[in-house]
PDB file of all heavy atoms in Angstrom:
ATOM      1  N   PRO A 202      25.691  19.909 -12.141  1.00 89.00           N
ATOM      2  CA  PRO A 202      24.423  19.696 -12.846  1.00 89.00           C
ATOM      3  C   PRO A 202      23.307  19.200 -11.928  1.00 89.00           C
ATOM      4  O   PRO A 202      22.142  19.601 -12.082  1.00 89.00           O
ATOM      5  CB  PRO A 202      24.788  18.644 -13.909  1.00 89.00           C
ATOM      6  CG  PRO A 202      26.244  18.785 -14.112  1.00 89.00           C
ATOM      7  CD  PRO A 202      26.791  19.182 -12.770  1.00 89.00           C
ATOM      8  N   THR A 203      23.669  18.355 -10.956  1.00 89.00           N
ATOM      9  CA  THR A 203      22.652  17.864 -10.021  1.00 89.00           C
ATOM     10  C   THR A 203      22.107  19.006  -9.177  1.00 89.00           C
ATOM     11  O   THR A 203      20.897  19.110  -8.967  1.00 89.00           O
ATOM     12  CB  THR A 203      23.269  16.780  -9.113  1.00 89.00           C
ATOM     13  OG1 THR A 203      23.810  15.750  -9.934  1.00 89.00           O
ATOM     14  CG2 THR A 203      22.253  16.207  -8.173  1.00 89.00           C
ATOM     15  N   LEU A 204      22.987  19.853  -8.683  1.00 90.00           N
ATOM     16  CA  LEU A 204      22.533  21.015  -7.894  1.00 90.00           C
ATOM     17  C   LEU A 204      21.683  21.964  -8.733  1.00 90.00           C
ATOM     18  O   LEU A 204      20.721  22.531  -8.233  1.00 90.00           O
ATOM     19  CB  LEU A 204      23.730  21.751  -7.299  1.00 90.00           C
ATOM     20  CG  LEU A 204      24.445  21.052  -6.161  1.00 90.00           C
ATOM     21  CD1 LEU A 204      25.674  21.857  -5.756  1.00 90.00           C
ATOM     22  CD2 LEU A 204      23.530  20.872  -4.974  1.00 90.00           C
ATOM     23  N   TYR A 205      22.061  22.137 -10.006  1.00 86.00           N
ATOM     24  CA  TYR A 205      21.292  23.013 -10.870  1.00 86.00           C
ATOM     25  C   TYR A 205      19.866  22.503 -11.039  1.00 86.00           C
ATOM     26  O   TYR A 205      18.907  23.260 -10.927  1.00 86.00           O
ATOM     27  CB  TYR A 205      21.962  23.129 -12.239  1.00 86.00           C
ATOM     28  CG  TYR A 205      21.189  23.981 -13.203  1.00 86.00           C
ATOM     29  CD1 TYR A 205      21.144  25.362 -13.065  1.00 86.00           C
ATOM     30  CD2 TYR A 205      20.464  23.409 -14.221  1.00 86.00           C
ATOM     31  CE1 TYR A 205      20.420  26.141 -13.937  1.00 86.00           C
ATOM     32  CE2 TYR A 205      19.726  24.166 -15.098  1.00 86.00           C
ATOM     33  CZ  TYR A 205      19.720  25.533 -14.933  1.00 86.00           C
ATOM     34  OH  TYR A 205      18.971  26.305 -15.802  1.00 86.00           O
ATOM     35  N   VAL A 206      19.719  21.206 -11.286  1.00 86.00           N
ATOM     36  CA  VAL A 206      18.387  20.618 -11.431  1.00 86.00           C
ATOM     37  C   VAL A 206      17.615  20.736 -10.136  1.00 86.00           C
ATOM     38  O   VAL A 206      16.428  21.045 -10.114  1.00 86.00           O
ATOM     39  CB  VAL A 206      18.483  19.148 -11.907  1.00 86.00           C
ATOM     40  CG1 VAL A 206      17.143  18.450 -11.823  1.00 86.00           C
ATOM     41  CG2 VAL A 206      19.040  19.084 -13.307  1.00 86.00           C
ATOM     42  N   TRP A 207      18.280  20.519  -9.024  1.00 88.00           N
ATOM     43  CA  TRP A 207      17.636  20.559  -7.722  1.00 88.00           C
ATOM     44  C   TRP A 207      17.160  21.979  -7.395  1.00 88.00           C
ATOM     45  O   TRP A 207      16.056  22.171  -6.914  1.00 88.00           O
ATOM     46  CB  TRP A 207      18.597  20.050  -6.662  1.00 88.00           C
ATOM     47  CG  TRP A 207      18.029  19.976  -5.298  1.00 88.00           C
ATOM     48  CD1 TRP A 207      16.944  19.284  -4.889  1.00 88.00           C
ATOM     49  CD2 TRP A 207      18.549  20.624  -4.123  1.00 88.00           C
ATOM     50  NE1 TRP A 207      16.741  19.468  -3.540  1.00 88.00           N
ATOM     51  CE2 TRP A 207      17.714  20.278  -3.055  1.00 88.00           C
ATOM     52  CE3 TRP A 207      19.643  21.452  -3.908  1.00 88.00           C
ATOM     53  CZ2 TRP A 207      17.938  20.745  -1.771  1.00 88.00           C
ATOM     54  CZ3 TRP A 207      19.867  21.907  -2.628  1.00 88.00           C
ATOM     55  CH2 TRP A 207      19.018  21.550  -1.578  1.00 88.00           C
ATOM     56  N   VAL A 208      17.996  22.969  -7.663  1.00 86.00           N
ATOM     57  CA  VAL A 208      17.636  24.367  -7.364  1.00 86.00           C
ATOM     58  C   VAL A 208      16.617  24.899  -8.352  1.00 86.00           C
ATOM     59  O   VAL A 208      15.701  25.627  -7.984  1.00 86.00           O
ATOM     60  CB  VAL A 208      18.908  25.256  -7.333  1.00 86.00           C
ATOM     61  CG1 VAL A 208      18.558  26.715  -7.284  1.00 86.00           C
ATOM     62  CG2 VAL A 208      19.786  24.875  -6.152  1.00 86.00           C
ATOM     63  N   ALA A 209      16.750  24.546  -9.635  1.00 82.00           N
ATOM     64  CA  ALA A 209      15.852  25.072 -10.653  1.00 82.00           C
ATOM     65  C   ALA A 209      14.427  24.605 -10.424  1.00 82.00           C
ATOM     66  O   ALA A 209      13.502  25.390 -10.467  1.00 82.00           O
ATOM     67  CB  ALA A 209      16.329  24.656 -12.034  1.00 82.00           C
ATOM     68  N   GLY A 210      14.222  23.351 -10.189  1.00 69.00           N
ATOM     69  CA  GLY A 210      12.891  22.833  -9.913  1.00 69.00           C
ATOM     70  C   GLY A 210      12.000  22.818 -11.139  1.00 69.00           C
ATOM     71  O   GLY A 210      12.408  23.139 -12.260  1.00 69.00           O
ATOM     72  N   ASP A 211      10.743  22.471 -10.913  1.00 66.00           N
ATOM     73  CA  ASP A 211       9.800  22.355 -12.026  1.00 66.00           C
ATOM     74  C   ASP A 211       9.215  23.696 -12.456  1.00 66.00           C
ATOM     75  O   ASP A 211       8.715  23.815 -13.565  1.00 66.00           O
ATOM     76  CB  ASP A 211       8.647  21.422 -11.601  1.00 66.00           C
ATOM     77  CG  ASP A 211       9.125  20.000 -11.394  1.00 66.00           C
ATOM     78  OD1 ASP A 211      10.124  19.623 -12.025  1.00 66.00           O
ATOM     79  OD2 ASP A 211       8.499  19.299 -10.587  1.00 66.00           O
ATOM     80  N   GLN A 212       9.254  24.682 -11.587  1.00 66.00           N
ATOM     81  CA  GLN A 212       8.654  25.974 -11.928  1.00 66.00           C
ATOM     82  C   GLN A 212       9.472  26.748 -12.957  1.00 66.00           C
ATOM     83  O   GLN A 212       8.959  27.602 -13.655  1.00 66.00           O
ATOM     84  CB  GLN A 212       8.427  26.816 -10.666  1.00 66.00           C
ATOM     85  CG  GLN A 212       9.686  27.378 -10.040  1.00 66.00           C
ATOM     86  CD  GLN A 212      10.408  26.429  -9.098  1.00 66.00           C
ATOM     87  OE1 GLN A 212      10.066  25.256  -9.010  1.00 66.00           O
ATOM     88  NE2 GLN A 212      11.411  26.921  -8.429  1.00 66.00           N
ATOM     89  N   ASP A 213      10.774  26.472 -13.063  1.00 68.00           N
ATOM     90  CA  ASP A 213      11.623  27.173 -14.018  1.00 68.00           C
ATOM     91  C   ASP A 213      11.501  26.485 -15.381  1.00 68.00           C
ATOM     92  O   ASP A 213      11.668  25.283 -15.526  1.00 68.00           O
ATOM     93  CB  ASP A 213      13.073  27.170 -13.572  1.00 68.00           C
ATOM     94  CG  ASP A 213      13.280  27.989 -12.336  1.00 68.00           C
ATOM     95  OD1 ASP A 213      12.495  28.910 -12.098  1.00 68.00           O
ATOM     96  OD2 ASP A 213      14.242  27.721 -11.596  1.00 68.00           O
ATOM     97  N   VAL A 214      11.245  27.294 -16.408  1.00 66.00           N
ATOM     98  CA  VAL A 214      11.092  26.776 -17.751  1.00 66.00           C
ATOM     99  C   VAL A 214      12.089  27.504 -18.628  1.00 66.00           C
ATOM    100  O   VAL A 214      12.217  28.715 -18.581  1.00 66.00           O
ATOM    101  CB  VAL A 214       9.654  27.018 -18.283  1.00 66.00           C
ATOM    102  CG1 VAL A 214       9.526  26.513 -19.702  1.00 66.00           C
ATOM    103  CG2 VAL A 214       8.648  26.366 -17.370  1.00 66.00           C
ATOM    104  N   LEU A 215      12.828  26.723 -19.399  1.00 65.00           N
ATOM    105  CA  LEU A 215      13.786  27.326 -20.331  1.00 65.00           C
ATOM    106  C   LEU A 215      13.000  27.938 -21.510  1.00 65.00           C
ATOM    107  O   LEU A 215      11.937  27.436 -21.888  1.00 65.00           O
ATOM    108  CB  LEU A 215      14.752  26.272 -20.844  1.00 65.00           C
ATOM    109  CG  LEU A 215      15.636  25.648 -19.760  1.00 65.00           C
ATOM    110  CD1 LEU A 215      16.441  24.508 -20.336  1.00 65.00           C
ATOM    111  CD2 LEU A 215      16.564  26.690 -19.178  1.00 65.00           C
ATOM    112  N   PRO A 216      13.499  29.024 -22.089  1.00 67.00           N
ATOM    113  CA  PRO A 216      12.781  29.660 -23.185  1.00 67.00           C
ATOM    114  C   PRO A 216      12.741  28.747 -24.422  1.00 67.00           C
ATOM    115  O   PRO A 216      13.582  27.870 -24.606  1.00 67.00           O
ATOM    116  CB  PRO A 216      13.603  30.915 -23.468  1.00 67.00           C
ATOM    117  CG  PRO A 216      14.931  30.688 -22.857  1.00 67.00           C
ATOM    118  CD  PRO A 216      14.725  29.712 -21.752  1.00 67.00           C
ATOM    119  N   THR A 217      11.755  28.971 -25.255  1.00 69.00           N
ATOM    120  CA  THR A 217      11.644  28.191 -26.491  1.00 69.00           C
ATOM    121  C   THR A 217      12.740  28.608 -27.450  1.00 69.00           C
ATOM    122  O   THR A 217      13.230  29.749 -27.410  1.00 69.00           O
ATOM    123  CB  THR A 217      10.273  28.403 -27.134  1.00 69.00           C
ATOM    124  OG1 THR A 217      10.084  29.795 -27.386  1.00 69.00           O
ATOM    125  CG2 THR A 217       9.177  27.904 -26.232  1.00 69.00           C
ATOM    126  N   PRO A 218      13.135  27.710 -28.338  1.00 63.00           N
ATOM    127  CA  PRO A 218      14.199  28.059 -29.282  1.00 63.00           C
ATOM    128  C   PRO A 218      13.737  29.114 -30.273  1.00 63.00           C
ATOM    129  O   PRO A 218      12.550  29.197 -30.603  1.00 63.00           O
ATOM    130  CB  PRO A 218      14.528  26.753 -29.984  1.00 63.00           C
ATOM    131  CG  PRO A 218      13.365  25.851 -29.730  1.00 63.00           C
ATOM    132  CD  PRO A 218      12.695  26.332 -28.471  1.00 63.00           C
ATOM    133  N   GLU A 219      14.680  29.916 -30.715  1.00 65.00           N
ATOM    134  CA  GLU A 219      14.352  30.953 -31.706  1.00 65.00           C
ATOM    135  C   GLU A 219      14.073  30.290 -33.049  1.00 65.00           C
ATOM    136  O   GLU A 219      14.582  29.217 -33.359  1.00 65.00           O
ATOM    137  CB  GLU A 219      15.508  31.926 -31.830  1.00 65.00           C
ATOM    138  CG  GLU A 219      15.796  32.673 -30.550  1.00 65.00           C
ATOM    139  CD  GLU A 219      17.052  33.512 -30.630  1.00 65.00           C
ATOM    140  OE1 GLU A 219      17.669  33.563 -31.730  1.00 65.00           O
ATOM    141  OE2 GLU A 219      17.424  34.101 -29.625  1.00 65.00           O
ATOM    142  N   ALA A 220      13.261  30.925 -33.843  1.00 63.00           N
ATOM    143  CA  ALA A 220      12.829  30.334 -35.119  1.00 63.00           C
ATOM    144  C   ALA A 220      14.021  30.164 -36.082  1.00 63.00           C
ATOM    145  O   ALA A 220      14.106  29.183 -36.817  1.00 63.00           O
ATOM    146  CB  ALA A 220      11.762  31.201 -35.777  1.00 63.00           C
ATOM    147  N   ASP A 221      14.937  31.137 -36.121  1.00 61.00           N
ATOM    148  CA  ASP A 221      16.034  31.072 -37.078  1.00 61.00           C
ATOM    149  C   ASP A 221      17.285  30.406 -36.481  1.00 61.00           C
ATOM    150  O   ASP A 221      18.336  30.393 -37.089  1.00 61.00           O
ATOM    151  CB  ASP A 221      16.376  32.453 -37.592  1.00 61.00           C
ATOM    152  CG  ASP A 221      16.782  33.395 -36.464  1.00 61.00           C
ATOM    153  OD1 ASP A 221      16.490  33.100 -35.299  1.00 61.00           O
ATOM    154  OD2 ASP A 221      17.386  34.432 -36.776  1.00 61.00           O
ATOM    155  N   PHE A 222      17.168  29.845 -35.287  1.00 55.00           N
ATOM    156  CA  PHE A 222      18.305  29.216 -34.635  1.00 55.00           C
ATOM    157  C   PHE A 222      18.502  27.801 -35.139  1.00 55.00           C
ATOM    158  O   PHE A 222      17.585  27.010 -35.184  1.00 55.00           O
ATOM    159  CB  PHE A 222      18.104  29.159 -33.119  1.00 55.00           C
ATOM    160  CG  PHE A 222      19.218  28.500 -32.361  1.00 55.00           C
ATOM    161  CD1 PHE A 222      20.407  29.139 -32.177  1.00 55.00           C
ATOM    162  CD2 PHE A 222      19.050  27.234 -31.871  1.00 55.00           C
ATOM    163  CE1 PHE A 222      21.438  28.550 -31.493  1.00 55.00           C
ATOM    164  CE2 PHE A 222      20.075  26.606 -31.166  1.00 55.00           C
ATOM    165  CZ  PHE A 222      21.275  27.276 -30.973  1.00 55.00           C
ATOM    166  N   GLU A 223      19.702  27.487 -35.600  1.00 59.00           N
ATOM    167  CA  GLU A 223      20.024  26.145 -36.061  1.00 59.00           C
ATOM    168  C   GLU A 223      21.202  25.627 -35.251  1.00 59.00           C
ATOM    169  O   GLU A 223      22.222  26.304 -35.142  1.00 59.00           O
ATOM    170  CB  GLU A 223      20.393  26.150 -37.541  1.00 59.00           C
ATOM    171  CG  GLU A 223      19.226  26.488 -38.444  1.00 59.00           C
ATOM    172  CD  GLU A 223      19.638  26.448 -39.912  1.00 59.00           C
ATOM    173  OE1 GLU A 223      20.631  25.779 -40.227  1.00 59.00           O
ATOM    174  OE2 GLU A 223      18.962  27.081 -40.707  1.00 59.00           O
ATOM    175  N   GLU A 224      21.037  24.447 -34.680  1.00 60.00           N
ATOM    176  CA  GLU A 224      22.130  23.851 -33.911  1.00 60.00           C
ATOM    177  C   GLU A 224      23.187  23.305 -34.852  1.00 60.00           C
ATOM    178  O   GLU A 224      22.888  22.644 -35.817  1.00 60.00           O
ATOM    179  CB  GLU A 224      21.589  22.689 -33.043  1.00 60.00           C
ATOM    180  CG  GLU A 224      21.467  23.087 -31.606  1.00 60.00           C
ATOM    181  CD  GLU A 224      21.019  21.904 -30.767  1.00 60.00           C
ATOM    182  OE1 GLU A 224      21.821  20.965 -30.587  1.00 60.00           O
ATOM    183  OE2 GLU A 224      19.891  21.952 -30.308  1.00 60.00           O
ATOM    184  N   SER A 225      24.447  23.609 -34.529  1.00 57.00           N
ATOM    185  CA  SER A 225      25.518  23.043 -35.322  1.00 57.00           C
ATOM    186  C   SER A 225      25.930  21.714 -34.755  1.00 57.00           C
ATOM    187  O   SER A 225      26.011  21.526 -33.544  1.00 57.00           O
ATOM    188  CB  SER A 225      26.703  24.021 -35.346  1.00 57.00           C
ATOM    189  OG  SER A 225      27.182  24.213 -34.021  1.00 57.00           O
ATOM    190  N   ALA A 226      26.199  20.783 -35.602  1.00 51.00           N
ATOM    191  CA  ALA A 226      26.533  19.432 -35.167  1.00 51.00           C
ATOM    192  C   ALA A 226      27.947  19.268 -34.797  1.00 51.00           C
ATOM    193  O   ALA A 226      28.886  19.754 -34.950  1.00 51.00           O
ATOM    194  CB  ALA A 226      26.176  18.419 -36.231  1.00 51.00           C
TER     195      ALA A 226
END
Side-chain angles (χ1 to χ4, degrees):
T203 304
L204 287 175
Y205 177 74
V206 170
W207 183 57
V208 169
D211 294 332
Q212 71 276 8
D213 293 335
V214 178
L215 297 173
T217 57
E219 297 173 5
D221 60 342
F222 179 75
E223 292 181 22
E224 256 184 70
S225 61

